[in-house]
Amino acid sequence: MLSSTIQIETKNLNVYFDKHYVLKDVNIKIPAKQLTAIIGPSGCGKTTLLKSFNRLLEIHDEVKISGNIFVDGQDIFDSKGDEIPDIRKKMGLISQKPYPLPMSIYENVAYGLKIHRKKTKKGELDAAIQHYLQEVGLWNEVKDRLHDPASRLSVGQQQRLCLARAIAVEPEVILCDEPTSALDPIAAQQIEKLLLKLKQNYTVVLVTHTLRQAKRLADYVIFLYFGMVIEQGPAEDVFNNPKNPATIAYIKGDIS
Amino acid sequence: MDVLNRRTVEEKIFKLFMIVSICIVIGSLVIIFGLVIINGASSISIEMITQTPTPGNALGGGILNAIIGSLLLALPATGLACIIGIGIALYLQKEFSHPGFANFIRFTLDVLWGIPSIVYGIFCLMIMIALGMGSSLLVGIFALTLLEIPIITRYMDEAIKMVPIGLKESAFSLGSTKFETAIRIVRRQAFPGILAGILLGLGRGIGDAASILFTAGFSNRIPTSLFDSTAALPTMIFNLYSLPSGQPKAYAAAFILLVVVLLISIISRVLSKRFMKHVIR
Amino acid sequence: MNKRKLRDLIGTKLMLIATLFVSLLFFLIFVLLLFRSGLVLQDNSLFDILFSSTWNPDNSQFGLAPIIIGTILVTGIALLIAIPISLLSAIYIAEYAPWKIRRILRPFIDVLAGVPSVVYGLCAFLFLVPLTKDVIAPWFGVQSTGLCIFTAAVILAVMVFPIIISLCIESFNAVPLALKEASLSVGATKWETVKKVVFRASTPSVIAAILLGFGRAFGETIAINMVIGGIPRIPSSVFSPGETLASLIASKYGELMSIPVHESALMLVALILFVVVLVFNILGVFILRRAKRRWTY
Ligand SMILES: Nc1ncnc2c1ncn2[C@@H]1O[C@H](COP(=O)(O)OP(=O)(O)O)[C@@H](O)[C@H]1O
Ligand SMILES: [Mg+2]
């Protein structure tokens, strides 16, 4: 069914928020170096699923998780306490609303390099930061004000900065949670282009609530409905020959 | 029509009460500032702020000993309270503490905040006597630190609670540890609030007399070691206010304290504006 | 990499130690005060101490009744003055004042909250004491030195103003605009909106502000000590001198600390202060929890 290797796989993943049953027996496979879209109506658990991949759910203490998540064949729940940052480092996260760190543009990109002790020489660091900002097409816009607070950038620029910051720690996977929903159409288009470029080198998981975006970008689609995986497969299959009535209804626009 | 009339009459009466109230508040303010500024300005002089009391006559000379004493007491105390406070405030986040535990600590801090400063004073005094020490700069610093910790910590805690969870998630997803997130990201984001807390603590510490009354003691000389007792501006006022010949010094000290309080308030406003620029909304 | 883990571990443990230090401090103060006040309780029952009316340590009489009465009177009168004036002022500043005036008043109030109590005490001693002695007391037909419960209560009220006002303004401002608009748009007058919507929606915070004001008033030591006269006798009127618990410690500690029983009596006073603060904090938590349940918006 899948042509490429599998990067992330879940087995019987169940997530509860307190008593609220959010993810129900989720079994999915996410192929490496492709763009996988997770679609479904809002509140169905897309964000929850995405954040379970890098164990970000666990900072909420009311969360209960059972099941397995394999990343590169390794069960991430086998890692204990102080190894969790290494799991997270493998996966960059782009959230719905961009959260630049409360520091300058330069320091934002440098942050990950510094905490992971990469590129410690000043010249190397400068070059790396230029490289990553160029990767996301932000360099020309900010090269004269690298030391300005990142909070002064526009939302679209902030989102691209977050992307640069994420790829600077050299992850294998990029998790995106509706990365364009807070942006204007032009900024959204820039992000979409970037995602298409990035999937050549990274596994991209894109949560989106707009079906058209999924159609434009996705190689592989997972349809989530009330916390259950209703349908998953290559994009053409899911969009052209949906099997489940719920998927058919969603694609026709009956469920939003 | 009649009903509406009664309603507007009630509003008018209460509005009158409000104006009277605000006049009382502003009036008392004006009296206090007026008294201190007018009398303080007339008693303050170069000698007053550059000389210690003349030997043998506590009322002669100036109040340099109290000015230096206040700085030597309040600045280290604020520094200590700030280090301890930031540690606690960061630890109360749910990544580190169970919410129940955190709320218990918050409650403890609130009680400690409410405890009269004289109680801190005699608590430190007891410890001091048990350790065989006398009243000294060191014990005074200790007492002020205890007094400032709850204030500074609760302020920092409130600021840290406001840090958006998404920002923390961003930091975590870059592979930061909990500690790195707390120290590098949360601290920076909450910095304006943290700063306000520190300055508030400083203001409280520099103005408090009851906690240092017995712990720092009193001296006409500038302390030369941590074990010397020392005067401070508030204790200077407390010791001299009732003697007519001591009142110029009391007024001068009150004037300086008032200036310090004003300065702290201004600095707090200016700095928080400056540090706001990095804060992510 | 290993260095990073080590630093994290040490840092986290230090934070934990600081946190435990605070709760330890809390218990340490309590236990130490309890322990040290044991001596005076050996020869006198707590009941006697609390309710007998003679405070004369040289005679081994440690009756705290006059001092407790003094504390209740001073705190009570101060709050009676401060609460209505502060609430009305806060409503005015938050809802009625033109924004220019508001912009001047807010920082002013904050500064007032930061003025040290010894400065309040000094001003009270030099202004309020003569005023009470020469004008206010004679006006009521009473002789007074001016160093009295009334003076202490008034200066205490002034000290409590900024605390209650600034907290109340904050909570009035936090009431959603939509809520006010909803009330105004059904034809309520501004005052009715303030009374029925703004005030009600912020009741929990107003209660919290008043409790905080109470705490400040109850524990205030220095300013009161400077103007209350320091005589531990049951006052015959509000223009008689008196003494409060906190102020008693400040005035008597120096002279009494050399005799163990006397010192122990003052430790008991400190313990009472501690316990009252604790009880009021606990009460505050419960009142706020109930109030929040009833008045959420
Ligand atoms: N922190 C939380 N506490 C309690 N419930 C939550 C929390 N976060 C999400 N939920 C619940 O989990 C469900 C799924 O949420 P989410 O994954 O954010 O959905 P989506 O991203 O698809 O819109 C929702 O019903 C939401 O109410
Ligand atoms: Mg979502």
Side-chain angles (χ1 to χ4, degrees):
Chain A
M1 177 173 107
L2 290 169
S3 51
S4 62
T5 49
I6 293 162
Q7 183 102 44
I8 303 175
E9 181 175 2
T10 69
K11 287 226 171 95
N12 299 329
L13 180 69
N14 288 287
V15 174
Y16 294 82
F17 274 105
D18 240 344
K19 295 196 176 68
H20 191 50
Y21 194 7
V22 178
L23 289 183
K24 300 160 191 167
D25 269 329
V26 171
N27 289 292
I28 52 167
K29 293 188 170 96
I30 290 174
K33 307 264 187 288
Q34 294 200 25
L35 196 151
T36 301
I38 301 177
I39 57 172
S42 67
C44 70
K46 304 182 294 294
T47 303
T48 309
L49 179 60
L50 195 72
K51 286 182 181 167
S52 67
F53 296 156
N54 63 351
R55 297 191 64 174
L56 215 47
L57 280 185
E58 289 155 56
I59 63 174
H60 303 275
D61 36 30
E62 68 273 26
V63 172
K64 283 196 277 299
I65 305 173
S66 69
N68 307 85
I69 299 176
F70 298 95
V71 176
D72 294 334
Q74 287 276 334
D75 190 340
I76 59 167
F77 294 119
D78 284 347
S79 319
K80 290 283 164 292
D82 51 7
E83 292 158 3
I84 295 178
D86 298 334
I87 296 171
R88 294 190 181 136
K89 182 175 159 254
K90 253 190 194 173
M91 291 185 251
L93 175 77
I94 308 299
S95 51
Q96 206 163 349
K97 174 181 183 299
Y99 279 106
L101 304 175
M103 40 186 83
S104 70
I105 297 167
Y106 181 94
E107 287 172 297
N108 256 277
V109 187
Y111 176 83
L113 298 170
K114 279 185 186 155
I115 60 169
H116 298 298
R117 304 282 187 284
K118 284 181 195 162
K119 312 262 183 339
T120 39
K121 288 199 209 80
K122 176 85 172 94
E124 274 179 0
L125 192 60
D126 286 350
I129 283 160
Q130 176 169 0
H131 169 74
Y132 291 117
L133 286 173
Q134 279 167 340
E135 278 295 282
V136 298
L138 200 58
W139 175 252
N140 285 328
E141 293 162 52
V142 301
K143 63 173 184 251
D144 301 321
R145 47 176 180 139
L146 284 175
H147 296 284
D148 273 14
S151 54
R152 295 220 184 116
L153 295 174
S154 74
V155 188
Q157 289 172 322
Q158 286 182 2
Q159 194 62 292
R160 278 182 286 151
L161 179 67
C162 289
L163 207 48
R165 185 184 70 190
I167 59 177
V169 293
E170 294 171 357
E172 292 171 20
V173 183
I174 296 177
L175 308 172
C176 305
D177 188 3
E178 305 187 12
T180 59
S181 66
L183 309 183
D184 62 85
I186 293 180
Q189 213 175 23
Q190 284 173 320
I191 296 283
E192 285 191 7
K193 273 202 196 118
L194 275 170
L195 291 179
L196 283 177
K197 186 175 103 182
L198 288 172
K199 76 171 189 188
Q200 295 162 5
N201 300 314
Y202 304 89
T203 305
V204 181
V205 184
L206 172 71
V207 165
T208 176
H209 65 304
T210 61
L211 212 53
R212 260 178 297 154
Q213 188 174 53
K215 279 183 184 158
R216 277 196 299 271
L217 303 175
D219 303 310
Y220 193 77
V221 173
I222 295 166
F223 177 53
L224 206 58
Y225 191 56
F226 284 114
M228 285 172 287
V229 176
I230 300 287
E231 192 138 354
Q232 61 177 321
E236 315 88 73
D237 293 359
V238 175
F239 288 128
N240 298 334
N241 307 304
K243 297 180 188 71
N244 192 294
T247 324
I248 297 169
Y250 185 69
I251 287 170
K252 269 173 47 197
D254 290 350
I255 313 171
S256 62
Chain B
M1 194 61 218
D2 217 26
V3 179
L4 192 67
N5 220 336
R6 214 179 55 222
R7 283 160 62 186
T8 51
V9 167
E10 185 184 315
E11 171 152 28
K12 281 211 175 97
I13 292 172
F14 269 95
K15 235 174 147 175
L16 186 71
F17 283 157
M18 284 180 213
I19 307 261
V20 171
S21 300
I22 199 94
C23 286
I24 293 174
V25 172
I26 294 174
S28 49
L29 233 164
V30 168
I31 291 172
I32 286 169
F33 276 73
L35 275 173
V36 174
I37 289 170
I38 293 169
N39 291 307
S42 65
S43 23
I44 226 159
S45 62
I46 301 289
E47 298 93 73
M48 190 58 104
I49 56 171
T50 56
Q51 289 182 2
T52 56
T54 36
N57 174 18
L59 299 177
I63 56 171
L64 184 66
N65 58 330
I67 298 174
I68 305 272
S70 267
L71 292 177
L72 290 179
L73 282 165
L75 292 179
T78 308
L80 276 175
C82 162
I83 292 168
I84 297 173
I86 188 88
I88 301 172
L90 289 173
Y91 200 77
L92 293 182
Q93 297 177 89
K94 63 178 178 185
E95 293 95 273
F96 294 98
S97 300
H98 186 272
F101 175 72
N103 283 334
F104 170 72
I105 296 291
R106 288 190 181 107
F107 174 77
T108 328
L109 286 166
D110 286 346
V111 176
L112 287 174
W113 188 331
I115 290 177
S117 54
I118 187 82
V119 176
Y120 285 106
I122 63 168
F123 172 71
C124 291
L125 194 68
M126 280 192 284
I127 292 179
M128 170 182 113
I129 292 169
L131 296 178
M133 293 203 286
S135 57
S136 60
L137 186 56
L138 185 66
V139 188
I141 291 174
F142 189 54
L144 284 184
T145 307
L146 295 188
L147 179 75
E148 288 183 32
I149 284 175
I151 303 170
I152 292 185
T153 310
R154 283 299 266 135
Y155 252 77
M156 290 179 172
D157 177 45
E158 290 298 326
I160 286 171
K161 271 193 211 161
M162 297 302 215
V163 174
I165 183 89
L167 183 62
K168 291 192 204 173
E169 286 181 349
S170 292
F172 284 133
S173 67
L174 293 169
S176 322
T177 61
K178 290 193 284 189
F179 184 70
E180 282 163 346
T181 306
I183 287 289
R184 292 180 181 229
I185 308 300
V186 174
R187 194 210 71 220
R188 286 187 79 131
Q189 172 77 5
F191 197 70
I194 289 174
L195 197 72
I198 295 173
L199 286 169
L200 207 78
L202 176 65
R204 181 82 195 273
I206 214 161
D208 195 77
S211 61
I212 56 171
L213 206 54
F214 305 115
T215 51
F218 199 83
S219 161
N220 284 330
R221 270 172 301 149
I222 294 170
T224 52
S225 87
L226 275 175
F227 302 101
D228 286 352
S229 46
T230 178
L233 291 167
T235 44
M236 176 77 100
I237 299 175
F238 188 64
N239 282 345
L240 297 181
Y241 76 100
S242 56
L243 313 167
S245 50
Q247 278 163 11
K249 278 191 173 184
Y251 270 125
F255 183 78
I256 295 173
L257 277 179
L258 207 59
V259 170
V260 169
V261 168
L262 278 171
L263 273 181
I264 287 177
S265 162
I266 293 169
I267 291 173
S268 161
R269 260 154 225 279
V270 172
L271 283 189
S272 77
K273 223 171 258 160
R274 253 192 77 181
F275 285 109
M276 266 324 250
K277 67 177 185 191
H278 278 300
V279 169
I280 310 302
R281 268 170 279 259
Chain C
M1 193 60 214
N2 230 336
K3 226 170 95 187
R4 185 176 169 206
K5 277 181 190 165
L6 191 68
R7 187 205 52 201
D8 271 34
L9 190 71
I10 294 173
T12 311
K13 287 287 174 274
L14 284 177
M15 280 155 64
L16 176 63
I17 289 171
T19 310
L20 292 180
F21 166 76
V22 162
S23 39
L24 196 69
L25 179 68
F26 178 80
F27 287 110
L28 203 61
I29 294 178
F30 182 68
V31 170
L32 223 57
L33 290 177
L34 195 67
F35 182 67
R36 293 300 289 271
S37 49
L39 194 58
V40 74
L41 290 173
Q42 274 175 9
D43 300 329
N44 310 272
S45 74
L46 185 62
F47 186 86
D48 279 349
I49 293 180
L50 291 181
F51 296 103
S52 78
S53 61
T54 322
W55 169 266
N56 187 358
D58 294 333
N59 234 344
S60 296
Q61 288 170 299
F62 300 104
L64 289 179
I67 299 151
I68 293 172
I69 291 172
T71 310
I72 294 171
L73 273 178
V74 171
T75 313
I77 297 172
L79 289 180
L80 230 52
I81 301 172
I83 292 172
I85 292 183
S86 306
L87 288 185
L88 286 166
S89 303
I91 293 173
Y92 179 78
I93 297 174
E95 302 292 334
Y96 286 91
W99 73 273
K100 269 187 186 163
I101 295 183
R102 194 178 318 175
R103 251 186 41 175
I104 303 169
L105 281 179
R106 283 297 303 272
F108 217 41
I109 302 271
D110 288 344
V111 169
L112 200 61
V115 173
S117 52
V118 67
V119 174
Y120 283 102
L122 181 68
C123 293
F125 184 79
L126 293 155
F127 179 77
L128 206 55
V129 168
L131 189 74
T132 308
K133 179 181 165 210
D134 299 329
V135 183
I136 300 174
W139 206 51
F140 285 95
V142 193
Q143 282 269 315
S144 173
T145 57
L147 295 169
C148 62
I149 294 199
F150 173 79
T151 313
V154 170
I155 194 64
L156 206 50
V158 176
M159 295 171 74
V160 172
F161 286 157
I163 298 175
I164 302 185
I165 293 177
S166 71
L167 285 173
C168 284
I169 293 178
E170 229 163 73
S171 65
F172 294 155
N173 284 343
V175 176
L177 194 62
L179 216 58
K180 293 181 207 171
E181 285 171 348
S183 164
L184 290 172
S185 64
V186 296
T189 63
K190 180 142 190 179
W191 170 245
E192 283 165 335
T193 305
V194 167
K195 202 168 58 170
K196 301 234 168 77
V197 176
V198 177
F199 211 71
R200 192 166 279 206
S202 39
T203 302
S205 331
V206 170
I207 294 174
I210 291 174
L211 281 174
L212 217 67
F214 165 81
R216 175 84 199 255
F218 176 76
E220 179 48 44
T221 310
I222 290 295
I224 291 184
N225 190 280
M226 290 165 86
V227 296
I228 200 168
I231 295 175
R233 235 183 289 135
I234 293 180
S236 54
S237 82
V238 293
F239 295 106
S240 340
E243 186 66 302
T244 69
L245 291 166
S247 162
L248 179 78
I249 303 177
S251 36
K252 294 294 189 292
Y253 202 82
E255 78 187 61
L256 292 184
M257 65 186 279
S258 44
I259 303 164
V261 185
H262 295 185
E263 195 211 11
S264 170
L266 288 184
M267 292 295 173
L268 181 66
V269 174
L271 183 66
I272 295 172
L273 288 175
F274 185 97
V275 169
V276 172
V277 169
L278 182 64
V279 167
F280 265 83
N281 266 281
I282 294 173
L283 268 179
V285 171
F286 281 107
I287 294 175
L288 282 184
R289 202 175 288 164
R290 281 200 62 164
K292 271 194 189 123
R293 217 177 304 137
R294 269 182 70 182
W295 286 293
T296 39
Y297 47 84

